Amino acid sequence: MVEQFAFTVDVKSVANKQIPCHPEQKMLDAFLRRGEWIPNSCNQGTCGTCKVKVLSGTVAHPPTPDSVLSYQEQEEGFVLTCQSVPTSDVVIAVPAADKPSSTGHLLRDMTATVLQMQTTATDTLTISVGIDEPLEFSAGQYVELAIPGTNDVRQYSMANPPSQSNVLEFHIRRQPGGLATDAWIFDSLTAGDAINLTGPWGDFVYDDDDDETGMILLAGGTGLAPLKSIALHALTVNPQREIHLYHGVRRSADLYDVEFWESLARNYSGVRYVPCVSREHWSGRTGYVGDAMLADFDSCRNYSGYLCGPPAMVDAGVKAFKRKRMSARRIRREKYTPAPALINA
């Protein structure tokens, strides 16, 4: 069958690559399916990571908040590739600071089979799914799960390392009224069910340039998932790696994977696990992960930092790292926010 393309995107700042787009295909999707890397993070039009400048031609896209692209940027022709569909042949430029050093991994559509669902904490499931063909991805990336009977998707990070690419692990917390969680995953999804995935997405990934530094990982809630993947991958590269994992939750009942991290710390001399609870008194550390890190380190100059969790936690963690003199280029972060409730809670 001959593929039908509507328009071509000429990417001038990436070795003059020409990327064909199917009708109604968003530019970022077209790039990644052909192995042409463009910076991307949320894939929802809220972070601004995938912005490019349209030099000629036209694209269709929904309104972009000025908090994502400033009015000046929009007037200068900047758009978000995750939201923009070409309506003519287009020439774009990727901002110089964001030019890729590699092509990344091919974006794929997959059908997976649910292998196991386990309740691991209050309102939190760990789900394992099997795929027929291994998925190539970088530690820290995510896939989109298609919600049956809708046109909606939700993003979930892989918690398994890239070396385990036939079975993917996800950490999913129930959101009251959530279309994906309350109305599907926690309601009716069961082992043996088929689910549709697309991935990998995202540039919150383990950086090979960090191989010679210690790592400090700050996780909020199920932001633990990509950091688990990153930590396990780092240990395959260097089993002696110094890794400090701080996991923050509101209550001790929200903690999960405790035995896994305690076992990892016993088996690897460089691994340290610090669970933190912010809204109740318990036998361990009380407070926020950023504050716990500040109390434990005199300096973070020789460390790299990875943060994933709610925006307030990530912002506070970044400030804490900088306060302890961690280089800004070694701080990598990913913020997540729950999708709005779409059903009655």
Side-chain angles (χ1 to χ4, degrees), residues 240-260:
Q240 305 305 314
R241 191 68 175 274
E242 182 185 352
I243 300 175
H244 302 264
L245 183 281
Y246 293 80
H247 184 203
V249 295
R250 293 181 176 182
R251 297 173 177 83
S252 57
D254 298 325
L255 288 170
Y256 68 94
D257 263 3
V258 174
E259 292 183 3
F260 167 83

Side-chain angles (χ1 to χ4, degrees), residues 32 40 54 63 73 77 80 83 113 122 126 159 161 166 181 183 190 194 214 234 265 296 306 325 335:
L32 297 182
N40 68 98
V54 176
E73 287 177 314
L80 304 178
Q83 300 295 305
T113 301
T122 302
T126 294
N166 282 98
T181 56
T190 188
D296 291 348
Y306 292 81
R325 308 190 71 180
K335 301 176 181 179

Side-chain angles (χ1 to χ4, degrees), residues 2-67:
V2 178
E3 286 191 283
Q4 298 296 316
F5 298 107
F7 301 108
T8 296
V9 181
D10 190 349
V11 191
K12 285 298 185 185
S13 54
V14 188
N16 293 329
K17 297 286 186 178
Q18 292 187 332
I19 309 299
C21 281
H22 292 290
E24 304 304 318
Q25 185 179 24
K26 294 172 182 175
M27 289 195 291
L28 179 61
D29 187 273
F31 298 152
L32 297 182
R33 289 184 188 276
R34 288 162 180 80
E36 298 301 333
W37 188 86
I38 292 287
N40 68 98
S41 183
C42 73
N43 198 29
Q44 301 177 76
T46 59
C47 71
T49 304
C50 67
K51 70 179 180 182
V52 298
K53 186 174 184 178
V54 176
L55 303 178
S56 67
T58 57
V59 300
H61 57 83
T64 305
D66 67 303
S67 59

Side-chain angles (χ1 to χ4, degrees), residues 93-304:
V94 180
D98 296 330
K99 288 183 181 179
S101 58
S102 64
T103 56
H105 307 286
L106 287 175
L107 187 69
R108 289 172 43 200
D109 298 319
M110 298 160 281
T111 299
T113 301
V114 178
L115 302 177
Q116 185 178 29
M117 299 178 63
Q118 180 181 6
T119 300
T120 48
T122 302
D123 287 336
T124 302
L125 292 174
T126 294
I127 297 179
S128 297
V129 305
I131 50 178
D132 293 335
E133 184 178 341
L135 174 66
E136 292 187 1
F137 68 95
S138 295
Q141 289 191 294
Y142 67 87
V143 296
E144 291 183 335
L145 273 63
I147 304 174
T150 76
N151 294 321
D152 292 284
V153 298
R154 293 292 184 268
Q155 294 80 19
Y156 296 105
S157 299
M158 277 74 75
N160 54 290
S163 59
Q164 300 171 10
S165 54
N166 282 98
V167 176
L168 308 180
E169 176 184 324
F170 306 113
H171 302 167
I172 301 177
R173 181 170 174 82
R174 186 180 71 86
Q175 298 298 327
L179 182 64
T181 56
D182 257 358
W184 173 40
I185 296 173
F186 282 74
D187 177 64
S188 60
L189 187 67
T190 188
D193 285 356
I195 58 176
N196 295 319
L197 315 175
T198 301
W201 300 95
D203 55 9
F204 175 68
V205 298
Y206 174 79
D207 192 326
D208 293 333
D209 291 339
D210 290 340
D211 283 350
E212 301 303 318
T213 68
M215 300 170 65
I216 305 174
L217 314 179
L218 304 185
T222 53
L224 182 65
L227 299 185
K228 181 177 180 179
S229 178
I230 288 170
L232 289 174
H233 180 67
L235 290 171
T236 64
V237 175
N238 177 9
Q240 305 305 314
R241 191 68 175 274
E242 182 185 352
I243 300 175
H244 302 264
L245 183 281
Y246 293 80
H247 184 203
V249 295
R250 293 181 176 182
R251 297 173 177 83
S252 57
D254 298 325
L255 288 170
Y256 68 94
D257 263 3
V258 174
E259 292 183 3
F260 167 83
W261 286 101
E262 289 178 342
S263 175
L264 202 68
R266 287 193 300 269
N267 293 326
Y268 291 89
S269 60
V271 174
R272 178 168 165 261
Y273 167 58
V274 184
C276 302
V277 173
S278 63
R279 295 195 181 179
E280 73 175 23
H281 293 291
W282 72 305
S283 59
R285 298 287 288 271
T286 301
Y288 298 105
V289 290
D291 294 333
M293 186 280 300
L294 284 171
D296 291 348
F297 287 84
D298 292 329
S299 173
C300 294
R301 181 188 294 273
N302 295 319
Y303 291 87
S304 57

